[in-house]
Amino acid sequence: MNDTSQRAGREPGVVAAAVYAGGRRLQDIEIDAAGAFAARPGHVVWIGLHEPSLELLARLQRQFDLHPLAIEDAGKAHQYPKLEQYGEGLFIVARTAQMENGRIGFGETHLFVGKGYVLSIRHGASRSYAQVRERCEAAPHGLSEGEDYIVYAILDFIVDDYFPVLATINSEVEAIEDDILARAPGRAQIDRLYTLRRDLLRLGNAVSPLVDVCQRLEHTQVMAIDPAMQPHFRDVTDHIRRARESIETLREVLAFAFEASLMNGQMQQTEVARRLAAWAAILAVPTAIAGIYGMNFEHMPELKWRFGYFFVLGAIAAICSFLYWRFRRNGWL
């Protein structure tokens, strides 16, 4: 996803780079000067990147003394959600999700967090964090908490973006469920059920690990988090759990919808089989009678009876009508 908020004149891959102090934005900065600003007491550097080059990541590594393994992971967009500590810094991976052409598109956000700096790196399907930056700058009291508040704001934004995706899928699932109860599903509808269940499984795998990430931040098992920020991470954890519960509920509904589609199809097959059996029983009467009189026996007295033909036709019609009435009464026709 292209970032339309990238400032004019910024080098490729850099969306925004600024330094803050006391909850206020002081100025935009260049990448090669970021480390010096981050080392100043009371200053926080926040750099936002979108699919940066390896050369740009290497420059950031030199500025903030980032661990080579974390830099290697940040250059790849196929990481499992996690939180790792390298010395006094953290490396956080979170999965993002957006609806793209009826499917869930997945992306990743990598966060480097340390004393005086936050680096956010986006890959794949993800909304720009320009909104997060604007929201933080509009709340200087929260932003004065420094890198803790920035990390919280980004994680909260990522988790909040799961709910529009779930709402879209929920609406589609309800429509499919109503359609299945009305008539037998087609092949395209069954394929869609499989697709949605597979996408929800991937979304669940992206959401669940974030519970552990936020709990570790909340309980300060890693880098020291300001006690005033711990309830914020607890709130994000609650949102993640709610998203996870919604995912599980939708998966159960999809499972029920799939089972209902199979049952509906079986019921229709049973209905067709009943109708065929009923008509076969009705047609068996004239077939049997015709078969009897098709035998070439010489002594069949009724063949010379003047009203024999009309009697046989009448008997066939009466028996078939009686059978039709009985099958109709029993719901087979």
Side-chain angles (χ1 to χ4, degrees):
M1 182 181 295
N2 294 326
D3 197 324
T4 58
S5 66
Q6 183 167 328
R7 297 174 182 270
R10 228 11 125 187
E11 60 181 292
V14 180
V15 178
V19 61
Y20 300 84
R24 304 289 181 181
R25 183 185 187 125
L26 299 183
Q27 65 182 76
D28 291 342
I29 59 174
E30 298 298 327
I31 295 298
D32 295 328
F37 279 104
R40 297 181 182 181
H43 288 63
V44 177
V45 170
W46 182 1
I47 298 176
L49 307 176
H50 181 249
E51 299 183 354
S53 64
L54 294 178
E55 186 273 334
L56 179 56
L57 289 175
R59 289 164 58 195
L60 289 169
Q61 180 183 8
R62 291 191 294 270
Q63 288 294 313
F64 300 103
D65 192 25
L66 304 176
H67 198 279
L69 291 177
I71 288 293
E72 182 181 351
D73 287 346
K76 302 175 183 178
H78 300 287
Q79 300 298 317
Y80 190 75
K82 60 184 178 180
L83 185 153
E84 295 178 342
Q85 186 167 10
Y86 295 97
E88 296 183 355
L90 299 180
F91 178 62
I92 301 172
V93 178
R95 300 294 300 276
T96 56
Q98 297 284 311
M99 291 301 298
E100 295 181 339
N101 300 320
R103 295 290 303 274
I104 302 179
F106 292 91
E108 291 180 19
T109 291
H110 301 164
L111 299 175
F112 288 94
V113 187
K115 185 62 177 177
Y117 67 87
V118 175
L119 312 179
S120 60
I121 304 171
R122 293 190 297 116
H123 293 275
S126 171
R127 285 200 297 154
S128 169
Y129 295 150
Q131 296 181 33
V132 182
R133 190 179 292 269
E134 293 171 0
R135 190 182 307 164
C136 290
E137 293 175 356
H141 177 72
L143 191 55
S144 65
E145 297 289 343
E147 55 271 9
D148 297 349
Y149 186 82
I150 296 173
V151 172
Y152 151 73
I154 293 175
L155 291 177
D156 186 58
F157 185 79
I158 291 173
V159 173
D160 284 346
D161 271 359
Y162 293 145
F163 291 99
V165 174
L166 292 173
T168 300
I169 294 179
N170 184 65
S171 298
E172 184 174 359
V173 169
E174 288 181 351
I176 292 176
E177 193 175 19
D178 293 340
D179 198 32
I180 285 176
L181 294 177
R183 54 182 175 273
R187 176 62 182 270
Q189 205 169 42
I190 293 177
D191 289 344
R192 183 58 178 166
L193 288 174
Y194 271 116
T195 300
L196 289 174
R197 289 196 70 187
R198 186 166 57 247
D199 284 352
L200 283 173
L201 177 62
R202 294 180 61 197
L203 184 59
N205 291 336
V207 169
S208 295
L210 287 181
V211 174
D212 178 65
V213 170
C214 290
Q215 284 182 337
R216 293 177 65 188
L217 290 170
E218 175 191 344
H219 297 296
T220 65
Q221 297 177 5
V222 288
M223 183 183 71
I225 299 294
D226 191 325
M229 289 302 302
Q230 293 178 20
H232 291 74
F233 289 107
R234 188 180 308 123
D235 182 64
V236 177
T237 303
D238 290 339
H239 289 178
I240 297 171
R241 286 185 176 133
R242 185 156 58 90
R244 187 172 60 182
E245 290 173 359
S246 298
I247 292 170
E248 292 301 320
T249 300
L250 283 174
R251 291 193 67 210
E252 290 179 4
V253 171
L254 282 172
F256 169 77
F258 183 72
E259 291 175 0
S261 68
L262 292 179
M263 292 176 61
N264 199 356
Q266 291 174 353
M267 288 176 61
Q268 289 208 341
Q269 291 178 355
T270 302
E271 184 69 20
V272 171
R274 282 181 177 180
R275 291 178 179 273
L276 292 176
W279 283 113
I282 294 173
L283 293 175
V285 174
T287 302
I289 295 176
I292 292 174
Y293 287 101
M295 294 183 293
N296 296 318
F297 291 119
E298 181 177 355
H299 301 287
M300 296 182 71
E302 63 272 21
L303 292 180
K304 300 183 180 300
W305 183 33
R306 180 178 179 182
F307 300 104
Y309 172 73
F310 302 102
F311 177 81
V312 170
L313 289 182
I316 291 174
I319 296 173
C320 289
S321 297
F322 173 76
L323 291 176
Y324 179 84
W325 172 74
R326 287 302 303 267
F327 286 133
R328 184 80 173 179
R329 183 180 179 183
N330 294 334
W332 283 44
L333 289 176

